[in-house]
Amino acid sequence: MSASSFFANRTVVIASMHRKEEAIAPLLSAALSVQTLVPEAFNTDAFGTFTREIDRPDDQLATARIKAEAALTLTGETLAVASEGSFGPHPQIPFVACDRELVLLCDRTHQLEIVGESLSTETNYRSQTIHSLEEAFAFAKAAGFPQHGLVVMRTSEPTFKEAPKKAPKEVLAKGITTEADLVAAVKMALAEAESLHIETDMRALYNPMRMKAIAQATQDLIQKINQCCPQCHFPGFTVVQRCPGLPCRCCGAATLLTLSELYACQHCGFQHTQSFPDSLKFADPGQCFYCNP
Ligand SMILES: [Zn+2]
Ligand SMILES: [Zn+2]
């Protein structure tokens, strides 16, 4: 039994209204022999907007789950995919912006949930307070405009690093992809105030870089689906825990590098510990607290 026997010829509902199916559907159809369906009248903005008019109901994973469940309820189908992106400083390199994308598969028939993930530094995610049309053009150029869309807001909107949840909700224009629309929005804002807030539009259909990251997360999802449990053969036999402690090559002390990974099956509960997942038996002394304090 392979993963495709669980999904072949079924319909996957893609819970998106921002054309994410362009990134997700071709990959899933090819890998799992499924049909895809994008529900009409499915308003994902109800589950949070990047421009913060509506807050996300929960964390990234829980929100993806809520969207998938809502799409299943709406369509009466049994298989759905939802994706959720999150932007901010890279966890290891704080001054670099990154895009963490999750693509979640929810299968009601088999009671399965499998999550693909990608972490990409290839993102134009940025925001700025500006005072002139020239500054708007400079921002637009750096953000990959007009292939990537922009959002113009009133100045009372703080930048991303200041608690965005508390931000007032005053979008003047979003999905800006033409110079004429950009000029009009900036002029409108500058007629009201000395400065305005400009940011990248992170919705998938306005952001080809994000679309690429969603495709990468979908590839990761497919890989995880194809990892089947050695005992019951259900798809999605994935890592649930990483244990640090890879010994230093020089002194043998435990380092923070991964020593082993624990795989678990969500269907039968079978577990397997994989030692040395990165094919390394020892850590470089540069990673050791004692050899390189
Ligand atoms: Zn199993
Ligand atoms: Zn050492």
Side-chain angles (χ1 to χ4, degrees), residues 11-137:
T11 298
V12 183
V13 185
I14 300 180
S16 173
M17 66 170 211
H18 293 145
R19 299 213 301 261
K20 289 176 181 171
E21 68 275 11
E22 289 174 12
I24 297 171
L27 295 171
L28 280 188
S29 307
L32 304 175
S33 309
V34 287
Q35 287 97 47
T36 55
L37 167 79
V38 180
E40 279 175 43
F42 185 64
N43 181 12
T44 54
D45 279 354
F47 309 106
T49 59
F50 286 116
T51 35
R52 307 177 288 286
E53 297 98 326
I54 301 165
D55 291 337
R56 197 154 66 181
D58 209 322
D59 66 24
Q60 193 178 1
L61 179 61
T63 302
R65 193 177 288 138
I66 291 168
K67 277 194 212 170
E69 294 286 345
L72 289 178
T73 304
L74 181 73
T75 57
E77 296 286 344
T78 57
L79 190 59
V81 161
S83 114
E84 189 70 18
S86 180
F87 303 87
H90 190 281
Q92 275 95 44
I93 330 161
F95 48 88
V96 173
C98 86
D99 171 5
R100 179 184 186 234
E101 293 290 339
L102 298 183
V103 177
L104 174 143
L105 178 105
C106 173
D107 181 354
R108 275 190 181 164
T109 303
H110 300 102
Q111 301 294 318
L112 276 175
E113 178 185 285
I114 305 171
V115 183
E117 189 179 352
S118 85
L119 191 66
S120 174
T121 53
E122 220 177 289
T123 175
N124 66 342
Y125 171 77
R126 70 192 69 205
S127 69
Q128 199 181 320
T129 299
I130 57 167
H131 306 82
S132 67
L133 206 47
E134 289 69 39
E135 282 181 303
F137 283 136

Side-chain angles (χ1 to χ4, degrees), residues 248 251 288 291:
C248 167
C251 74
C288 174
C291 298

